[in-house]
Every structure is written in structure tokens, then in C-alpha cells.
Amino acid sequence: MMGSAVADATVLGMSDVMAEIFLATGVAMILTTIMIGQLTAQVNAANCMLDFINNYFMLFSTYVSLAIEFSGLLHSVYLVQIIFSKIIGRPIASNEPQSTGLQNVFFWARVIFSLGLLSFSFAVTLKALFDGKTTMWDGVPEAVSVIIFFVLMCFVGMMEGMQIALFAVINIPEEELSQYKAAHGNCQLAFAGQNLQAFLIGRQICVTICTFVVARITTLDIANGEDTIFGVPMGLQNFFNTGLLGALITTIVASLAWRIIASSFPLAFLSNPLIYYIIRLCLLLEESGVCSASWVLARYQKPLFNYQPDEVYSEGAPKEGAAPVTRRDRDIDRVVVVVKYVYSLALLVFSVLVVMAAMFTEQTTAAEMGVHPAGAFFIFWFLILWLAVIEGGQGALVGLQPIEKESYADTHSVALKCTSLAHKGDNMQRYIIGRQLLVVLIVFVMNMMGSAVADAAVLGLSDTLNEIFLATGIAMILTTIILGQLTAQVNAANCMLDFINNYFMLFSTYLSLFIEFSGLLHSVYLVQIGFSKLTGQQIHSNESPRTVLQTIFFWARVIFSLCVLSFAFAVTLKALFDGKTTMWDGIPEAVSVIIFFVLMGFVGMLEGMQIALFSVINMPNEQLKQHKVAYANCQLAFAGQNLQAFLIGRQICVTICMFVVARITTVDIAEDEDTIFGVSRGLQNFFNTGLLGAIITTIVASLAWRIVASSFPLGFLSNPVIYIIMRLCLVLELSGVCYSAWVLARYQKPILGFQLDEVYLEGTEKQGSAPITKRDKDIDVTVTVIKYVYSMCLLIFSVIVVMSAIFTEQTKVSEEIHPLVAFFLFWLLLIWLGMIEGGQGCLVGLQPVDKSLYAMSHPTALKSTTLAHKGDNMQRFIVGRQFLVVLLVFVINMCGSAIADASVLGMSDVMNEIFLASGIAMILTTIMIGQLTAQINAANCMLDFINTHFMLFSTYVSLFIEFSGLLHSVYLVQIIFSKITGKPFESNEPPRSGLQNVFFWARVIFSLGVLAFAFAVTLKALFDGNTLMWDSVPEVVSVIIFFVLMCFVGMMEGMQIALFAVLKMPKEELRKHTVANANCELTFSGRNLQAFLIGRQICVTICMFVVARITTLDIAEGEDTIFGVSSGLQNFFNTGLLGALITTIVGSLAWRIIGSSFPLAFLSNPLIYVIIRLCLLLEASGVCSGAWVLALIQKAIIRLKLDEEYIGFSDKKSEQEVGFDDEEITTVSA
């Protein structure tokens, strides 16, 4: 009643479909109730019973439950219990003494009262149902409502009884159970593996859904003024409208009664054939994961409420904290971390797009100041880079102070210059002071380049989004924190030497020291001297005392700095009170001043907290405990990983405040307005740069507070506000809003070649791109998740686009024949392509396996392997199969490639151009569904994969194609290269007889003739512009592209052969060929070979589709045919068979022979390196990662098993390797 939506309800601007799904049907309320109100509590209550009920609310609920039972409302259920007790002859167990006569009278009085009430409830409810006076959805006939009501009551009752019955038979001997076939089958299903727990969760979902529907059916809806049920008073009718009568019926008839039946006759109850389907439904619901969020909520509810397992109290087991205990806890933590990484990355990408859009649409402060968008763009990104260098550089310079410089003098000469300069005398302190102004100044200038003007709007975003990301500056703040600060700091923490080993860092060090030397910030030393006098602590120095001249120069700069600071305050406050800063419109001037000082204090506290915490980190507990507030703050900060989390959250807070202060203190006076204090226009423009605000912020909001904190750390930390600030920082870090910095740092490290300092200082092994830490692994999982998700989305979208083009008759076959023909042919050919793509790997991989090991288990696979492995049939199969693959791709292209100007799904011209006109949608569909999915499963499940008559048929077809002689010209290439290399080609058959030789050479000549004719026809059509090549491409360019693509495909085909040919070649021999050696080192490092093969497959297929478009003729009926041939022959040419023949021989097989004959020479081509990089990039993009997901689904559906389950593991290593990718996908989906 509280949450169910009224008819036609709509919220949040949702579409009608979404409103219908989530509001009208009650799905939103049902899910909320199940997950938050039921499963989450049940999960924790199962193990933490004592803590869960240790509250007065539970005590109150217990009393209320007993009062309800005592009232007699439900006593009719005891009648059912008594009846079934008599039927089975088993007395009702009780823990109380036998009832007295008075108690019996009172008991039966309540039973009769309950029966009467139940009957009356039924009468009222059925009357309302037949009158259509309930909250049942409109449009449902009254009689149907009644039927649904009783069906649901029975359905809920069965599920209630099933739970009782299953637990009643859980310990019954198997022999007794097997006498009841249906019950035995149901029990086997329910008790298999983790099915019982899964069933209980699914059952809870089902029961709750049905209860909500029953509530809608039985809740009366009679408004004031309408006729009441049975003419009762309106007051009583309003009571009926509460739904209490429906609740009474449901409790007794749909729950308690069925439980009693099930407990009395469990085996008979479970012998109902419907039980099996209900169990399956419950398992399916749980498997869907629709309520898996309850496990996540329970995971974090437990530490939040400090629930402890009962064993802690009953057995003295150690207490549990927030750390994961079970595998499910670890899975949940990983999922939560992955979600943080993903949403933080999404936020970062979106923020960068928003800032750049504002910049290039001239809606930033920079545009108002007359800076060109391109100039603002380059300044902004240069400053981001510079900020990163000095943010990470400070940590590196501080961290390298205790390290002997001789240990890295030879390896890091520039880093040595930086450290020698910074660590000389008191230069480190000077550097930190100067660098602080440099950071603030950079942030101020970045604010000018990227902060949006009032009412800025970009990318067609809603006003709310523009307000959140543009007007408030959130987009720019996130960009700055993640790209300009945290990413650098993460890597600089462990890779200090590599990080500062550049001249940009050396320049920044000199500049920071120069800023300090200028005296702008010397007033901070006055604060330092003042607190030194107060505390009686001498100022530590690594330099000899100043001379008189140095002292005069020092104090002169202090006075100069005080004057500049005072003047900066005067100018800034004047501008603030006059409303002449870049502060957001609508904020009163006085409020701006208050915000300014509050933020200065807040930033100062954040700056001081960091110093104070590090000052007391090693302080004895006894001393700390004397300062209660400081001690509490330290306990919070130093617990677990809180210190690191606080520092990250602090960085976020400080940067946000810096940007706001930059907006408040940056003066904004236009050319035609009065200047501050009547200064010259040039000086006013200098004020407008924000430098004065940067000076105030650096001295007053940063350095001064640091000195106070370092002088009085315990006094500083005794401020109660510190605790709140610390909690805020921890929450900010926990939110994961900046987690993408870890992802960027993870991949910045190998890209820039950063190595841990231990590699240079201690001689440890260099690190590659492989994950080292748990965080690295989590990040890699995150990236994998992103790849899987976006690849699957791309695939689904591509399939929809292709099918739309087919059914709207916008492809060649669907237009000329019929959409249904194109549809079925397209999917049949994709399945066939998958079969032969995976099948080849199976037949090759099974060559060394003893056929007797699978003769009995896989008879059809045995027929395929026996045929393919006979004599030289394997070579023949590969040759014929190659043509079959190309032919299938060509025909798939005709079925699915869009005609000119095709448009589907109301997509924009750009989207149609990308996915339809270019053929991307069809290419992605073909690669993932028709190739990679099959290849992935065929790699480990060879026997199951080819154990089909379809594969046997494909093997025969491939051998027949080779036998036909169409491709025999490739053998001529083989023979020629055999003569050139002096290496005879291997054969498993005896030498050919004279007749066989004649037949062989006849087919070679025939093949050459067909190939020459195919070239002639194709080139003639190309020069005449009579192919499916995209319009607007000149004929000559088409011919050039054709030959370039043939060479490109050929090189990739040959590369695969050549790489496997040199795989076991000694390194000494490889090094004699510099280019080949470089190509091999790149390919064979890490997992690059597998990645290259996947990228190569993508490249080859893309090129095949383009070649198919180029070489497939398109001459309609009535047009002049090629060379004046008949229309029938021309239609044959139009099939693309000639293009397939050329591609197979010239673009594939010939290059394979060259690659196998001269592998080192082939790999010495410099272009090979570029192609390998391209393939690796394509694979790394994850564009086809959806194939791994499809492979996992396919494996489960058609029940493919690993070959080792049939023929055994050869060793432990192979046992570990097999199924790696499945495990990875399963981990990700968890």
C-alpha cells in the first residue's frame, strides 16, 4: 500500500515501457523488499544470530508475534495440524504440560473464531474480486482474477511446503527415497552441489513476488461514497481496504496449512511432478543473479553494525574485522573495486570530454580573456603534465634523501643532477616552499583555461548535468586530480629514480628554488621563527649560520614578502567586496569573503594534518593517550589502510578547495571597467592572472599551517574538527571517485618503462607488464570487464544492425532474392564458418594423439581424424578448407553487406556510415560469432568439437575442393620454392605413379588457367567499375587497394607460418638477422604470441571482407557482360567465386609457402614489425573480447568438455593451463 504505484504512474522522465516494467508491475518495489528487507538480513542472521537479535526492536517484534498468535486470528491452522496428526497417527510434539480444561475451552474458542474470521475474509475478498473492487491491475477480467488468486495461493503454498518437506527428508536413507521415483528425482536435483542454498534463495524471491501479487489481488479498493461490501459501515470498509483480510487468508491458506501437510507427508508432497519444475524455476531465478546485490549489502552491513559470528561468543574465536573472510567476501570486494574503477574511469572520460567541449566552444574564462581554443588546449594539457611532474617529483626527491647517490650515478644521470641540487644544504626546504607556489599557480592558470563561464552548456547535456560538471567545475577538478596529481604520485612512490630522470624535472627543481629565492614567500619564515621562539626549538639547518650580508638580504625578502602578501590581501578583498572576481554569480560579496576565509582555514588544516600525523607516527602510545582527542584522531588515521586512504582523500579535498579559492581570488575586471585602486591597465591585467590569490593561498592556506603543525603536532591534532575532516577524506577515498588514477598508473608504468627503485639499487629483476600486486590484478580484471562489456554491446548492436539491413531488403541477397533466404543463409554460413575455423585446429592438434583413446567415446570425431590424417590428406584439407573459408566469407558478405545509402533503426548518417556502409557491423559479427568463439573452444575441447557429422561433411568438402584442382597452382609455387631452397617437401605417401603425375600436372595447368582467367575477369570488372566496391572510389585506386590488401593479407598469413617456423630456432642464429630478431622478440614476449594471433585473425577477416567487396562483380541483368559471356555465366561470376579463388591462392596459400621456405628472410621485412604492433593493438583494444564470453556460454550450452577428461593430462602444467580463459571470465562475471 505504501509503495505500489497507482495506474499510469510515471517518474524520473522514464519511458512508458520502463514505467510499465518497474512501476506498474511492482518490480521495483518487489526487488527493494526482497533484497533490503529479506535476503540481506537472512544472510547475516545465518551466522551472526546473537548479534542480530541483540536489540530491543527484535524483542518488541517477538512480543508482537506472540500477541498475534495469542489473539487467535490464526488458530484455524491448528485444526489442520490436529487433523493431519490423527491421519498419520503421530501425536503433536509439545514442550508444555497438558492443557487444563479452561485452556482447552479457550483454545477451541479461538479456533472457531479463526475459522469464522477466515470464512468471512474469503467471503469479503471473493465478493470484491467478482465486483472488480480490488487493486488488481486494470484490464484483468474478474473471473480471471479469482483463478489467479487461487493458483497463486497454491503455488505459494507448494513453495512453503517444499522447504519443510526437503528438510524433513534430508537425512532419509537413499534406499527409502528411491522407492518414490518422483520424490527421489526432486531430491537429487535439490541436494546436488549448492542447489539447496540456491533453491532457498530462489524460493524466497518467488514467494515474495507472489505475495505482492496476492496483496494486489486481495486488497480492497472501495472509495468513500461507493457501495460497501455487504453494506457494512464505511469505517469497517476502510478497515477491509487495509488488506488485513487478504493477509489473513494468505498466511493460513497459502503458508501455514501447506507447511503442516508437507511436514506430515514429506515424501508424498515431494512426489508431485510439478515440484521439479518449481525447483528448476527457483534455481533459474537465483542463477539470474537478480538479487545477488543482497550478498553485497550483507557484506558491508556486517562490519557497519559490527556483527560477529556466533563462534566469537560461544567458542572464543577471534573477532572479525572488515577484511574478507570467505571466498564470497573476496569476490564481493573484487566486484566493488571493479565497479569503482569502472565508474571512476567513466567519470574521468566524461569530465575530459566536457572540459574540452567547453574549451573548443569558447565557453571558458580563457575565451573571455581572448585566448584561442587551440592555445587554451595546449596550455591546459601542458600544465597537467607539468603538475604531474612536480607532484610526483616532490615525493621522489624527499624519498631519495637517504639513498647513496653513487648507487644510481651511472644509471640515472639526470636524476642525480636533480637530487644533488635539491639535497644540497637547505635546498630541500627551499624547493618545497617554491614548489608549493608553483603548484598553486599552475592550478590557478588551469582554472582560467578550463573553468566554464556562466550558463555554459555543452554536448547537449541537460541543465542539471551542465550545472554539476561545468558550472561547479567538477569536470575540471576530476581531470586535474586524476591526471595531474594522483597518477603521478602513485608511480613516483615506487619508481622515484625513473620518475625524476628527465630534464623537465630538473628545470622544475631550478624554477622552484628560484621562486623561493625571489622572496615572494619569505614571510612564511617569519611564522617559522615565531613558532621556534614559542616552542624553544631551534630551527634545524644543514648550512652554516648566515653572514651579516646574507641576514640583511634574508630580512629584506621577509619584509618584501609581507608587503606583497598585505597588498595581495588588499587587492583580493577589494575585488571580492566589489564582486569583481570569477566567483559564481548569485553569491553575495560578503558570503564570498566568508567562504574565502573558511576555505583557507579548511585547506590549512588539511595541509597541517598531514605534517602532524607523520610527526606523531612513531610517538609512544603513553604520550599520545595524554591527549584524548589527538589520540582518537590518531587511532582512526593509523587503523588498517586508513593513512593511505586519508592521504588520497586529503589530496582530493585540497584540490577541490584550491579550485574554489582560485575562482574566488582570481580578479575579473574587463578592459573598459575601473581598475583596483586606480592602477594602470597593464598592472590590472597582471592582477587578473590570479597570481596574488596564489600567493595568499600558498602562504596563508598551506605553508603557515604546516609550520604550526610541525611545531605543535599534538596540539594541532587535538582539534575535534580534525576527526570530522578525517572521516570526510576517508569517505571521499572510499567512494572510489578517483580510483581511475590507479588504472592509469598501472598502464603508465610499462608504457614509460618505469621500474621499481630496487631494480637499480638492489639488482632485483626488471618488471614487465604482468600484474605484480593484488591491485594490479584487480585493475587487469577491471579492464577485462570493460572489454567484455563493450565488446558484447558492440556485437549485439552489430547483429541487430545487420539483421535490420537484411529484413529491410538493404543487402544484395535480400534485395535480389528474399530476406528470409538471406537470413537463414547468413546464419547457416556463420555456423559453418565456425565449424571449419575451429575444426582445423582440432584436426591439427589431434594428429599426435592415439586414436584408440577416443575411439569409443567419440566415434564421429574418429572418422574425421582417420580421414584427415591419412597420407597427405591433412595438407589437402588445409588447402581446400582455406578456399572454403574465403568462399564462405564472400557469400556472407553478399548476404549481410549493405547496399549504397542503406539506413536502419533511424540511426544518424554517421552511425549508418560507421556500422553499415563500412561493413563494421558484419565484420564484427563474423569474427566473433563465426571465428573466434569456435577457435577458443576448439583449442581445449577438440574431441567434443569435431564429434559431429557436420565436421565430417566439412572435411569431405574441403578434400573435394582440393581434389577438384582449382587450387593446384599453389603446388607449383611449393615445388619452385622447394627447388630454390634445396629442401624436399615432406610427404606421408609413396611417390606418384605416371598416371597420377599426369593427373596432378593437368590439375596444376587447369588451376593456372582458372587463376589467370579469374584475374582477367576481376581486373576488367574493377577497371569498368562493375564490382561492389564503395561508390566514389576511383577504378585505379580500387585496383591498387586490391593488390595492396592481397599483399597485406598474404604477409599476415605468411607471418604466422614463419613465426612458428623459427619458434625453436637457436637465439644465436636469430641474432644474425637483426630485423627478424626484433620482430621475434616482440612477438614471443609475454602473451604477445596469442594476442598477435587474435589480432591477426581480426585483420585478415577485415581485409577479406574488403577484398570480397572489391572482387565481387555487380553486373545486373541487361547490362553488358564481362568479355560478352552469357548471362548465366555472368551470374556465376557475380557470386564472387573468382575473387575467392584469387584470394585463396595469391592472398594466402602462396605466401604461406614463402613464409615456410624462407622464414628468416620473410621476418626480416621491416613492415612486419608495424603489422605485429597493429595486431597487438587490435587485440588490446578488446573489440572482439566478447568472443571469450560467447565461448563460455557456448561451452556450457552444448556441454563441451576438455580433452583431458577423455584422454587424461600429460602433466601438471597442462592441467593448470587448460581452461585459464574460462576461469578468468568466470572470475570477472562473479
Side-chain angles (χ1 to χ4, degrees):
M1 285 194 294
M2 298 299 107
S4 62
V6 297
D8 303 322
T10 178
V11 296
L12 304 174
M14 290 193 301
S15 65
D16 293 340
V17 175
M18 293 293 284
E20 188 68 29
I21 292 171
F22 286 94
L23 271 182
T25 63
V27 165
M29 187 171 58
I30 291 168
L31 289 176
T32 304
T33 304
I34 294 171
M35 284 188 269
I36 298 177
Q38 293 179 309
L39 291 179
T40 300
Q42 289 170 353
V43 167
N44 279 330
N47 297 316
C48 308
M49 296 181 283
L50 289 169
D51 279 342
F52 193 88
I53 64 170
N54 192 39
N55 59 80
Y56 286 103
F57 198 18
M58 183 60 209
L59 183 61
F60 165 75
S61 301
T62 307
Y63 276 116
V64 170
S65 299
L66 291 172
I68 291 170
E69 190 277 342
F70 182 79
S71 70
L73 282 171
L74 308 171
H75 265 53
S76 53
V77 79
Y78 292 127
L79 185 61
V80 180
Q81 186 183 34
I82 291 167
I83 291 169
F84 275 96
S85 171
K86 298 295 183 183
I87 291 172
I88 63 175
R90 189 173 65 194
I92 300 167
S94 174
N95 296 315
E96 295 182 351
Q98 192 171 358
S99 302
T100 64
L102 190 61
Q103 286 174 327
N104 272 328
V105 171
F106 184 51
F107 171 79
W108 285 104
R110 286 182 292 176
V111 169
I112 295 165
F113 165 69
S114 177
L115 282 171
L117 196 57
L118 180 62
S119 303
F120 181 70
S121 299
F122 260 115
V124 170
T125 302
L126 290 174
K127 169 68 174 166
L129 277 170
F130 280 113
D131 291 347
K133 295 295 184 179
T134 71
T135 54
M136 185 62 173
W137 291 279
D138 297 335
V140 181
E142 288 75 13
V144 175
S145 297
V146 174
I147 294 168
I148 293 171
F149 169 55
F150 281 105
V151 168
L152 285 178
M153 296 277 276
C154 293
F155 185 68
V156 171
M158 288 181 73
M159 285 189 290
E160 291 284 1
M162 283 164 65
Q163 180 178 2
I164 301 298
L166 285 168
F167 280 104
V169 304
I170 200 166
N171 293 316
I172 286 181
E174 185 76 13
E175 296 74 22
E176 186 179 344
L177 258 182
S178 58
Q179 294 173 19
Y180 302 82
K181 287 187 178 179
H184 185 239
N186 291 332
C187 290
Q188 279 189 314
L189 174 62
F191 299 145
Q194 300 292 316
N195 278 6
L196 183 59
Q197 183 186 31
F199 160 73
L200 293 174
I201 293 171
R203 188 203 73 87
Q204 184 72 63
I205 298 169
C206 272
V207 167
T208 307
I209 292 170
C210 294
T211 303
F212 267 103
V213 178
V214 169
R216 288 204 76 131
I217 294 174
T218 60
T219 299
L220 276 63
D221 185 25
I222 296 178
N224 285 327
E226 294 183 327
D227 292 338
T228 61
I229 297 291
F230 302 136
V232 299
M234 186 48 68
L236 186 57
Q237 183 59 58
N238 289 336
F239 171 74
F240 292 167
N241 287 356
T242 61
L244 182 63
L245 299 183
L248 187 72
I249 296 170
T250 306
T251 305
I252 297 174
V253 180
S255 176
L256 298 175
W258 288 81
R259 288 182 173 220
I260 290 168
I261 297 170
S263 65
S264 303
F265 305 101
L267 286 171
F269 193 94
L270 292 172
S271 293
N272 185 342
L274 287 175
I275 298 288
Y276 184 87
Y277 298 103
I278 295 174
I279 293 173
R280 280 285 180 202
L281 174 63
C282 293
L283 293 177
L284 184 64
L285 270 173
E286 194 278 339
E287 182 67 23
S288 71
V290 69
C291 290
S292 291
S294 56
W295 292 101
V296 182
L297 295 176
R299 165 76 181 96
Y300 295 106
Q301 181 198 48
K302 192 174 173 183
L304 195 64
F305 287 88
N306 197 28
Y307 287 161
Q308 295 294 332
D310 299 314
E311 291 78 9
V312 172
Y313 308 106
S314 61
E315 301 172 13
K319 283 193 173 185
E320 293 178 4
V325 177
T326 64
R327 181 168 179 247
R328 191 186 293 276
D329 287 349
R330 289 190 289 274
D331 287 343
I332 290 170
D333 285 0
R334 169 169 276 191
V335 168
V336 170
V337 168
V338 167
V339 169
K340 287 180 181 179
Y341 287 139
V342 171
Y343 99 81
S344 178
L345 279 169
L347 264 181
L348 174 62
V349 171
F350 181 70
S351 297
V352 171
L353 286 175
V354 166
V355 172
M356 294 301 101
M359 202 174 283
F360 282 101
T361 53
E362 300 187 19
Q363 297 184 80
T364 63
T365 308
E368 285 190 336
M369 295 171 65
V371 180
H372 192 274
F377 173 83
F378 286 111
I379 292 171
F380 182 84
W381 287 108
F382 172 74
L383 293 177
I384 284 276
L385 175 63
W386 196 359
L387 183 62
V389 169
I390 57 179
E391 283 286 7
Q394 173 179 283
L397 289 175
V398 171
L400 287 169
Q401 278 183 292
I403 307 297
E404 288 291 335
K405 293 178 174 50
E406 291 78 11
S407 59
Y408 56 87
D410 296 332
T411 57
H412 294 77
S413 56
V414 183
L416 178 66
K417 292 178 182 177
C418 290
T419 54
S420 298
L421 175 64
H423 299 163
K424 183 181 179 182
D426 291 334
N427 275 2
M428 198 64 233
Q429 183 184 30
R430 297 185 183 108
Y431 165 80
I432 290 170
I433 290 172
R435 170 239 171 232
Q436 190 65 29
L437 176 62
L438 187 56
V439 167
V440 175
L441 193 57
I442 288 172
V443 169
F444 272 58
V445 179
M446 283 172 59
N447 178 66
M448 286 192 291
M449 296 300 109
S451 63
V453 296
D455 302 322
V458 297
L459 303 174
L461 297 175
S462 65
D463 292 341
T464 304
L465 282 173
N466 278 312
E467 189 67 28
I468 293 171
F469 285 93
L470 265 184
T472 63
I474 288 292
M476 190 170 56
I477 290 168
L478 287 175
T479 303
T480 304
I481 294 171
I482 298 170
L483 296 180
Q485 294 178 309
L486 291 179
T487 301
Q489 289 170 348
V490 167
N491 278 330
N494 297 317
C495 308
M496 298 181 285
L497 288 170
D498 280 344
F499 194 90
I500 64 170
N501 194 42
N502 60 80
Y503 286 100
F504 198 15
M505 183 60 209
L506 184 61
F507 164 74
S508 301
T509 308
Y510 273 115
L511 184 58
S512 299
L513 291 172
F514 174 76
I515 291 170
E516 190 278 343
F517 181 78
S518 70
L520 278 171
L521 308 171
H522 266 54
S523 52
V524 78
Y525 291 124
L526 189 60
V527 181
Q528 185 183 37
I529 292 166
F531 277 96
S532 171
K533 299 294 185 186
L534 282 173
T535 61
Q537 293 175 352
Q538 285 191 338
I539 299 170
H540 177 73
S541 176
N542 294 316
E543 296 179 350
S544 54
R546 298 185 193 94
T547 63
V548 175
L549 192 60
Q550 287 173 328
T551 302
I552 292 170
F553 184 50
F554 171 79
W555 284 104
R557 287 183 290 175
V558 169
I559 295 166
F560 165 68
S561 176
L562 283 170
C563 293
V564 170
L565 180 61
S566 303
F567 183 70
F569 260 116
V571 170
T572 302
L573 290 174
K574 170 69 174 166
L576 277 169
F577 280 114
D578 291 347
K580 296 295 184 181
T581 70
T582 53
M583 185 61 172
W584 291 279
D585 297 335
I587 298 178
E589 289 74 15
V591 175
S592 297
V593 174
I594 294 168
I595 292 172
F596 169 54
F597 281 106
V598 168
L599 284 178
M600 296 278 275
F602 184 67
V603 171
M605 289 182 74
L606 286 166
E607 292 283 359
M609 282 166 69
Q610 179 178 2
I611 302 298
L613 285 169
F614 281 104
S615 297
V616 303
I617 199 166
N618 294 314
M619 191 174 283
N621 260 356
E622 294 71 23
Q623 187 177 347
L624 267 177
K625 285 176 181 175
Q626 295 171 16
H627 303 78
K628 288 185 178 179
V629 178
Y631 181 64
N633 289 333
C634 290
Q635 277 193 312
L636 174 61
F638 300 143
Q641 300 293 314
N642 277 6
L643 183 58
Q644 183 187 31
F646 161 72
L647 293 174
I648 292 172
R650 187 202 74 88
Q651 183 73 63
I652 299 169
C653 275
V654 167
T655 306
I656 291 171
C657 294
M658 286 286 190
F659 270 101
V660 178
V661 169
R663 289 206 75 129
I664 294 174
T665 59
T666 299
V667 183
D668 184 26
I669 294 179
E671 290 288 331
D672 55 347
E673 292 181 321
D674 293 337
T675 61
I676 297 287
F677 302 135
V679 299
S680 66
R681 176 52 55 189
L683 188 55
Q684 183 60 58
N685 289 337
F686 170 74
F687 292 168
N688 289 356
T689 61
L691 180 63
L692 298 182
I695 291 172
I696 296 171
T697 307
T698 305
I699 297 173
V700 180
S702 176
L703 297 174
W705 289 81
R706 289 183 174 215
I707 290 166
V708 175
S710 64
S711 303
F712 304 103
L714 285 171
F716 192 93
L717 291 172
S718 294
N719 185 343
V721 177
I722 297 287
Y723 189 87
I724 299 168
I725 295 174
M726 206 174 292
R727 280 286 182 199
L728 172 64
C729 293
L730 293 175
V731 168
L732 269 176
E733 193 277 338
L734 185 65
S735 72
V737 70
C738 290
Y739 262 47
S740 50
W742 295 102
V743 183
L744 297 176
R746 165 78 178 94
Y747 295 105
Q748 181 197 51
K749 194 174 172 183
I751 289 171
L752 298 182
F754 287 166
Q755 294 292 334
L756 297 179
D757 298 312
E758 290 79 6
V759 172
Y760 308 107
L761 302 176
E762 300 172 13
T764 57
E765 188 179 347
K766 281 193 174 185
Q767 293 180 357
S769 57
I772 306 296
T773 64
K774 181 181 180 293
R775 191 185 291 277
D776 287 348
K777 291 172 185 173
D778 287 342
I779 290 169
D780 286 359
V781 168
T782 301
V783 173
T784 304
V785 167
I786 294 170
K787 287 180 180 179
Y788 287 152
V789 171
Y790 99 81
S791 178
M792 284 300 293
C793 291
L794 265 181
L795 175 61
I796 293 167
F797 181 69
S798 296
V799 170
I800 292 170
V801 166
V802 173
M803 293 303 100
S804 299
I806 287 174
F807 283 104
T808 53
E809 300 184 18
Q810 296 185 82
T811 69
K812 184 177 172 66
V813 175
S814 65
E815 183 185 39
E816 295 178 359
I817 305 176
H818 193 277
L820 283 176
V821 173
F823 173 81
F824 286 111
L825 190 58
F826 181 85
W827 288 107
L828 173 65
L829 295 180
L830 267 189
I831 294 168
W832 196 0
L833 181 63
M835 177 57 69
I836 57 176
E837 284 285 9
Q840 172 180 281
C842 296
L843 290 176
V844 171
L846 287 169
Q847 278 182 293
V849 178
D850 186 355
K851 292 178 175 53
S852 64
L853 293 173
Y854 57 88
M856 297 296 290
S857 60
H858 295 77
T860 312
L862 179 66
K863 292 177 183 177
S864 295
T865 54
T866 303
L867 175 64
H869 299 163
K870 183 181 179 182
D872 291 334
N873 275 4
M874 198 65 235
Q875 182 184 29
R876 296 185 183 108
F877 168 79
I878 291 171
V879 170
R881 171 247 172 222
Q882 188 66 26
F883 178 71
L884 185 56
V885 167
V886 176
L887 185 60
L888 289 175
V889 170
F890 273 54
V891 181
I892 288 169
N893 176 67
M894 287 194 292
C895 292
S897 65
I899 58 177
D901 303 322
S903 177
V904 296
L905 304 175
M907 293 194 302
S908 65
D909 292 341
V910 175
M911 292 292 284
N912 278 311
E913 191 66 30
I914 293 171
F915 285 94
L916 265 184
S918 67
I920 288 292
M922 189 173 55
I923 290 168
L924 289 175
T925 303
T926 304
I927 293 171
M928 281 192 266
I929 297 177
Q931 294 179 306
L932 290 179
T933 299
Q935 290 170 348
I936 288 166
N937 279 330
N940 294 324
C941 309
M942 296 183 282
L943 288 170
D944 279 349
F945 194 89
I946 64 169
N947 194 41
T948 70
H949 289 284
F950 196 16
M951 183 60 210
L952 184 59
F953 165 73
S954 302
T955 308
Y956 274 114
V957 170
S958 300
L959 291 173
F960 174 76
I961 291 170
E962 190 277 342
F963 179 78
S964 70
L966 276 172
L967 308 169
H968 266 53
S969 53
V970 78
Y971 292 126
L972 183 62
V973 181
Q974 186 183 36
I975 291 165
I976 291 169
F977 277 95
S978 174
K979 298 293 184 186
I980 292 171
T981 60
K983 185 170 67 178
F985 48 84
E986 295 177 4
S987 175
N988 296 316
E989 296 179 352
R992 287 189 289 267
S993 64
L995 190 60
Q996 286 174 328
N997 267 328
V998 170
F999 185 49
F1000 172 79
W1001 284 105
R1003 286 183 291 174
V1004 170
I1005 294 166
F1006 165 69
S1007 178
L1008 284 171
V1010 172
L1011 180 62
F1013 181 70
F1015 260 116
V1017 171
T1018 303
L1019 289 174
K1020 169 69 174 164
L1022 277 170
F1023 280 114
D1024 291 346
N1026 286 323
T1027 71
L1028 290 175
M1029 186 61 175
W1030 291 279
D1031 298 336
S1032 77
V1033 179
E1035 288 76 13
V1036 176
V1037 176
S1038 298
V1039 174
I1040 294 168
I1041 292 172
F1042 170 55
F1043 281 104
V1044 168
L1045 285 178
M1046 295 282 276
C1047 293
F1048 185 68
V1049 171
M1051 287 180 75
M1052 285 189 290
E1053 292 282 0
M1055 280 164 66
Q1056 181 177 2
I1057 303 298
L1059 285 167
F1060 281 105
V1062 302
L1063 192 59
K1064 303 293 184 184
M1065 192 174 283
K1067 287 189 176 180
E1068 294 73 24
E1069 187 174 346
L1070 261 180
R1071 288 194 186 108
K1072 296 175 185 176
H1073 304 78
T1074 310
V1075 177
N1077 185 47
N1079 290 331
C1080 290
E1081 281 188 338
L1082 173 62
T1083 308
F1084 299 143
S1085 66
R1087 293 173 61 89
N1088 277 6
L1089 180 59
Q1090 183 188 26
F1092 160 73
L1093 293 175
I1094 293 172
R1096 188 202 73 86
Q1097 183 73 64
I1098 299 169
C1099 270
V1100 167
T1101 306
I1102 291 171
C1103 295
M1104 286 284 191
F1105 270 103
V1106 179
V1107 170
R1109 289 203 75 129
I1110 294 173
T1111 59
T1112 300
L1113 277 62
D1114 185 27
I1115 295 178
E1117 294 287 339
E1119 293 184 27
D1120 292 338
T1121 60
I1122 297 289
F1123 302 136
V1125 298
S1126 66
S1127 295
L1129 188 57
Q1130 183 59 59
N1131 288 335
F1132 171 73
F1133 292 168
N1134 288 356
T1135 61
L1137 183 63
L1138 299 182
L1141 186 72
I1142 296 169
T1143 307
T1144 305
I1145 297 172
V1146 181
S1148 176
L1149 296 174
W1151 288 82
R1152 289 185 171 216
I1153 290 166
I1154 297 169
S1156 63
S1157 302
F1158 304 103
L1160 286 171
F1162 194 95
L1163 292 172
S1164 293
N1165 185 342
L1167 285 175
I1168 299 289
Y1169 188 88
V1170 180
I1171 295 173
I1172 294 171
R1173 280 286 181 201
L1174 173 64
C1175 294
L1176 293 176
L1177 183 64
L1178 269 175
E1179 193 276 338
S1181 71
V1183 71
C1184 290
S1185 291
W1188 296 99
V1189 183
L1190 292 179
L1192 189 67
I1193 296 169
Q1194 181 196 54
K1195 189 175 178 182
I1197 291 173
I1198 61 177
R1199 298 183 181 180
L1200 294 174
K1201 293 182 181 178
L1202 300 179
D1203 298 314
E1204 286 71 15
E1205 293 190 31
Y1206 304 109
I1207 58 178
F1209 285 97
S1210 58
D1211 53 36
K1212 287 186 179 179
K1213 182 175 182 293
S1214 62
E1215 190 173 30
Q1216 291 167 351
E1217 287 175 351
V1218 170
F1220 169 80
D1221 296 303
D1222 286 357
E1223 184 185 347
E1224 183 183 30
I1225 296 171
T1226 306
T1227 302
V1228 167
S1229 63

